[in-house]
């Protein structure tokens, strides 16, 4: 690794040991970055200052020049009155919008480490993230600052933005001069993205400055192939790396612009596309399915690229969207551990029902539990490697994800004789619902904080609209009322709403082995409609 610019060395000190890293590949010329690299400066420094970069539903438009001015001012505030030094972790929280994106860029330009979280996340979740990443600074939209304050993180300095207070981030005095980007190493940690594993305990995925550019110089450049005049939009928030790439990194790397929507559900996307002439759309299969019935009311002639990720895209959904719009959805699989999409296909190379082929710059194979490749046509574990790799923040699960130099994603796939990869199922206990990852054990931990809950297990049930929904099998204390609404209301105070189970099944006892181990397979067979009698 190169000489770090970080004064606060926490992130680099807590990288996994080198022998636990995956093998990194820089096979494309575009991926051979200089030793010193600040990705925010790279994204901002080469664009035409007069071209638009961010748009809002109210038709406000920021140019690249205006964005650079805002970022420089925020970086001066960060390193001045707020006392942020290179390497400090800075939590970013707010609805998707230009100011959140500007804060992200300013944190990186100042050499600090961005920790972007969802505006939906609750105090308990935020406190855990802050503890793991040792966060001491936070920039938070004033509208969602209360939950962050309730997290009661020791030593956390919260600075709100978008309000009327004199100490608001956007009102603080700062020099009007350009901010010289901190001379970070290409392999200095730029961001920590959190994902929930099957244990429910979130994992911090550390990504370097060069990684931020690498996802644009692989998937975006070679598969998506954006134009300068493209207008990007989509549903994933910036707290997800799917959204961070699709709505900030990819358009900026191409000199294009993005429409940033605070409300981006299926019923918001179609009118936004029609009104703002969106040409590149990022969302989950669930949203494409939901929008099919509403297409007739909107002019979608501006759309030329539709990207789907976050969950498996069924062939029927692909064909229905293509039949109605003439557009071929670009399917893809990515992971927070690898920052963005690494298997995909576009245009005439798309085969409905498959995810695609390895993105240029990436390699993929199917292997068994021992790491040996399996023949084409047989299911096994998906393993990938490329310019970005998994580096968990001080987490023993690094050895589970990285095996023999490959990133093993936890997905079961089949590769066909033509090299196309087809999704089979998750290989772990993760529930993927409408593009959101829900760790059953995390929901279980939250439910167990309810005084009436004795034990619980949360598994996924197949659902036509959402892919899966979470079902909570729950045992209550004697005499407690079996009230799903009360449990759901309690959970909404503990977890982001998308993690709350759609269904509660009350049992007298959970199925266990003679040694007391929970038999999750029996619950899964129950939610698929079989072997139910002995569970009741």
């Amino acid at each position: 690794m190169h000489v770090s610019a970080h004064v606060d060395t926490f992130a680099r000190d807590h990288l996994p040991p080198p022998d636990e890293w995956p093998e990194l590949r820089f096979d494309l010329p575009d991926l051979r970055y200089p030793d010193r690299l600040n990705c925010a400066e790279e994204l901002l420094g080469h664009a035409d200052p007069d071209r638009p970069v961010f748009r809002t539903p109210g038709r406000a438009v920021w140019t690249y020049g205006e964005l650079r001015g805002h970022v420089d001012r925020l970086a001066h505030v960060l390193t001045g009155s707020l006392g942020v030094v290179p390497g400090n972790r800075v939590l970013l929280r707010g609805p998707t919008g230009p100011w959140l994106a500007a804060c992200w860029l300013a944190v990186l330009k100042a050499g600090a480490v961005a920790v972007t979280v969802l505006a939906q996340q609750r105090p308990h979740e935020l406190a855990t993230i802050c503890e793991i990443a040792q966060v001491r600074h936070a920039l938070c939209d004033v509208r969602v600052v209360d939950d962050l304050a309730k997290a009661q993180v020791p030593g956390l300095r919260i600075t709100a933005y978008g309000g009327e207070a004199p100490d608001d981030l956007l009102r603080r005095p700062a020099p009007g001069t350009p901010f010289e980007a901190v001379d970070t190493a290409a392999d200095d940690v730029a961001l920590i993205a959190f994902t929930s594993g099957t244990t429910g305990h979130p994992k911090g995925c550390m990504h370097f400055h060069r990684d931020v550019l690498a996802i644009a110089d692989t998937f975006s450049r070679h598969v998506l192939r954006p134009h300068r005049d493209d207008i990007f939009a989509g549903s994933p928030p910036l707290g997800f790396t799917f959204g961070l790439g699709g709505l900030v990194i990819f358009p900026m790397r191409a000199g294009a612009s993005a429409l940033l929507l605070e409300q981006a559900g299926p019923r918001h996307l179609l009118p936004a596309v029609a009104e703002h002439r969106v040409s590149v759309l990022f969302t989950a299969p669930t949203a494409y399915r939901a929008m099919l019935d509403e297409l007739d009311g909107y002019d979608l002639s501006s759309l030329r690229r539709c990207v789907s990720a976050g969950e498996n895209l069924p062939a029927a959904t692909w064909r229905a969207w293509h039949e109605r719009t003439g557009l071929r959805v670009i399917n893809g699989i990515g992971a927070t551990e690898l920052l963005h999409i690494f298997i995909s296909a576009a245009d005439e190379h798309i085969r409905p029902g498959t995810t695609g082929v390895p993105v240029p710059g990436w390699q993929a194979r199917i292997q068994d539990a021992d790491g040996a490749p399996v023949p084409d046509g047989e299911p096994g574990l998906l393993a990938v490697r490329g310019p970005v790799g998994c580096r968990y923040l001080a987490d023993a699960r690094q050895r589970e994800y990285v095996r023999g130099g490959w990133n093993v994603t936890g997905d079961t796939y089949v590769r066909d004789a033509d090299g196309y990869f087809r999704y089979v199922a998750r290989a772990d206990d993760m529930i993927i619902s409408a593009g959101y990852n829900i760790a059953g054990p995390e929901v279980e931990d939250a439910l167990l904080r309810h005084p009436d809950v004795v034990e619980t297990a949360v598994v996924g049930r197949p659902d036509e609209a959402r892919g899966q929904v979470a079902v909570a099998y729950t045992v209550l204390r004697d005499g407690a009322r079996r009230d799903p609404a009360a449990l759901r209301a309690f959970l909404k105070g503990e977890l982001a709403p998308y993690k709350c189970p759609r269904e509660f099944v009350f049992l007298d006892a959970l199925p266990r082995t003679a040694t007391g181990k929970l038999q999750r397979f029996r619950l899964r067979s129950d939610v698929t409609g079989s072997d139910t009698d002995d569970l009741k």
Side-chain angles (χ1 to χ4, degrees):
M1 296 186 70
H2 304 104
V3 176
S4 176
H6 286 179
V7 176
D8 178 347
T9 62
F10 172 87
R12 180 166 286 200
D13 293 344
H14 289 81
L15 286 167
D19 62 354
E20 293 182 8
W21 285 31
E23 179 183 339
L24 299 176
R25 310 283 303 188
F26 303 96
D27 299 330
L28 301 179
D30 295 339
L31 301 176
R32 293 162 195 166
Y33 303 108
D35 293 346
R36 312 306 299 181
L37 177 70
N38 185 295
C39 63
E41 177 63 19
E42 184 70 19
L43 291 171
L44 285 164
H46 303 293
D48 181 342
D50 297 324
R51 288 187 61 79
V53 59
F54 294 140
R55 306 165 186 265
T56 67
R59 293 201 168 270
V61 177
W62 287 17
T63 66
Y64 276 90
E66 290 169 333
L67 174 61
R68 187 180 183 100
H70 292 315
V71 169
D72 284 353
R73 185 185 175 282
L74 291 170
H76 277 302
V77 173
L78 283 167
T79 58
S81 61
L82 296 184
V84 172
V85 301
N88 281 168
R89 277 75 58 216
V90 182
L91 189 89
L92 301 173
R93 185 171 192 252
T96 296
W99 281 114
L100 181 62
C103 287
W104 184 80
L105 290 160
V107 167
L108 300 186
K109 195 168 184 179
V113 178
V115 182
T116 307
V117 298
L118 300 177
Q120 296 174 300
Q121 285 176 306
R122 298 299 190 243
H124 178 77
E125 299 166 296
L126 297 169
T128 300
I129 288 170
C130 288
E131 179 184 3
I132 293 171
Q134 291 294 286
V135 175
R136 292 297 176 265
H137 298 273
L139 308 181
C140 185
D141 188 297
V142 69
R143 293 169 292 174
V144 292
V145 78
D146 287 348
D147 274 351
L148 185 55
K150 290 175 183 175
Q152 298 182 328
V153 177
L156 180 65
R157 180 174 185 176
I158 302 172
T159 304
Y161 65 85
E164 300 297 326
D167 62 347
D168 187 274
L169 176 67
L170 308 184
R171 294 172 176 268
R172 287 175 174 261
T177 56
F179 181 89
E180 184 176 351
V182 171
D183 185 31
T184 45
D187 54 12
D188 271 334
V189 176
L191 62 96
I192 303 175
F194 276 85
T195 182
S196 292
T198 57
T199 66
H201 191 64
K203 296 168 284 190
C205 304
M206 296 192 280
H207 294 298
F208 298 158
H209 280 264
R210 69 179 183 225
D211 299 345
V212 172
L213 302 183
I215 61 171
D217 294 340
T218 52
F219 171 74
S220 184
R221 177 169 296 178
H222 293 279
V223 179
L224 188 61
R225 298 195 296 276
H227 303 159
R228 291 177 81 222
D229 294 327
D230 275 325
I231 300 175
F232 287 63
S235 61
L238 303 190
F240 284 159
T241 56
F242 182 37
L244 187 63
L247 301 178
V248 177
I249 299 169
F250 297 166
M252 291 188 67
R253 189 62 164 163
S257 65
L259 172 67
L260 301 182
L261 301 167
E262 289 191 9
Q263 301 294 323
R267 71 178 184 275
H268 304 105
L269 289 177
L270 290 176
V273 168
E275 179 181 353
H276 297 272
R277 308 303 292 161
V278 169
S279 56
V280 181
L281 182 65
F282 279 72
T283 192
T286 303
Y288 288 112
R289 288 195 295 270
M291 290 188 289
L292 283 169
D293 292 336
E294 309 294 332
L295 290 175
D296 291 340
Y298 299 98
D299 177 8
L300 305 185
S301 60
S302 61
L303 266 183
R304 69 178 197 87
R305 290 296 205 205
C306 296
V307 180
S308 173
E311 61 182 346
N312 182 51
L313 175 65
T317 301
W318 191 97
R319 291 191 174 96
W321 186 263
H322 182 249
E323 181 180 337
R324 297 291 307 281
T325 67
L327 295 164
R328 297 170 176 263
V329 177
I330 298 173
N331 192 14
I333 179 175
T336 306
E337 287 86 351
L338 303 176
L339 199 51
H340 218 274
I341 291 173
F342 44 80
I343 294 178
S344 187
D347 304 319
E348 69 277 8
H349 302 294
I350 293 173
R351 294 187 182 181
T354 73
T355 306
V357 297
V359 168
W362 290 88
Q363 299 175 346
R365 72 179 190 181
I366 307 301
Q367 62 184 46
D368 62 22
D370 296 323
V374 302
D376 287 345
E378 294 186 13
L381 298 173
L382 177 64
V384 298
R385 63 187 181 189
V388 182
C390 175
R391 292 176 292 262
Y392 286 141
L393 169 58
D395 197 307
R397 289 171 289 185
Q398 177 75 16
R399 292 188 293 275
E400 300 172 11
Y401 202 93
V402 177
R403 309 178 204 173
W406 292 82
N407 302 278
V408 182
T409 67
D411 299 280
T412 299
Y413 261 78
V414 170
R415 189 181 71 174
D416 68 21
D418 294 328
Y420 277 75
F421 287 74
R422 177 175 59 81
Y423 174 82
V424 177
R426 283 293 295 178
D428 58 19
D429 291 328
M430 186 69 72
I431 302 162
I432 303 179
S433 180
Y436 288 92
N437 288 346
I438 304 171
E442 182 186 17
V443 184
E444 292 161 8
D445 287 346
L447 263 174
L448 288 171
R449 291 196 284 273
H450 190 287
D452 288 341
V453 175
V454 176
E455 58 178 349
T456 186
V458 177
V459 300
R461 170 172 59 78
D463 181 82
E464 184 175 349
R466 293 174 174 267
Q468 287 181 299
V469 294
V471 179
Y473 288 84
T474 305
V475 178
L476 300 180
R477 63 175 176 82
D478 290 343
R481 184 177 172 219
R482 295 185 170 186
D483 185 357
L487 292 182
R488 191 172 290 111
F490 171 80
L491 279 179
K492 287 183 177 179
E494 299 289 315
L495 299 170
Y498 71 84
K499 297 179 182 178
C500 296
R502 291 264 163 174
E503 181 178 344
F504 289 81
V505 177
F506 296 100
L507 303 176
D508 294 328
L510 295 180
R512 296 186 180 276
T513 67
T515 58
K517 185 176 181 180
L518 180 63
Q519 294 176 309
R520 287 185 179 272
F521 72 92
R522 295 178 63 191
L523 298 179
R524 292 194 187 99
S525 62
D526 175 48
V527 298
T528 59
S530 61
D531 297 335
T532 60
D533 292 344
D534 57 352
L535 287 176
K536 304 305 181 187

